[in-house]
Amino acid sequence: MIRKDSIETAYAFMHQKLRVYEHSTLDWQKDDIEYIIGNYADEINPDLLSLLSGGRADYLKDHKKFQDDLTHAVAVLESMLQ
């Protein structure tokens, strides 16, 4: 079961981190955000993560796909809030 407050919390956190990530020119800052979001993905509601990831085990944890994954997660969460 996915509660609305779980969606709202995930959206607010990921949206803020995505905006910083998109505009950052500092590799260490982007690495920190990837680390923080990866850890957050370990703690998020498992049903919500499954819905976002489509079952992909490396969702939000693969450096090469990170920005696309985070952009996707924010878009899906935003649509769930409407």
Side-chain angles (χ1 to χ4, degrees):
M1 179 172 158
I2 304 170
R3 294 178 19 194
K4 185 175 181 178
D5 66 327
S6 295
I7 298 166
E8 291 169 341
T9 301
Y11 174 77
F13 183 67
M14 290 186 186
H15 180 269
Q16 188 248 3
K17 297 302 180 200
L18 175 61
R19 295 300 168 245
V20 174
Y21 190 91
E22 289 176 326
H23 299 289
S24 179
T25 58
L26 305 170
D27 288 337
W28 66 264
Q29 187 175 42
K30 287 184 170 189
D31 289 343
D32 283 355
I33 291 170
E34 289 182 32
Y35 177 78
I36 290 164
I37 293 292
N39 284 339
Y40 183 71
D42 290 337
E43 303 298 322
I44 197 171
N45 177 311
D47 294 331
L48 181 56
L49 181 61
S50 179
L51 181 129
L52 294 172
S53 70
R56 249 187 57 222
D58 66 347
Y59 190 74
L60 296 170
K61 295 181 181 189
D62 181 338
H63 175 74
K64 293 178 182 175
K65 298 177 186 175
F66 179 79
Q67 187 167 357
D68 290 338
D69 286 351
L70 187 55
T71 300
H72 171 263
V74 168
V76 172
L77 290 164
E78 185 173 8
S79 71
M80 293 172 77
L81 291 173
Q82 295 178 0

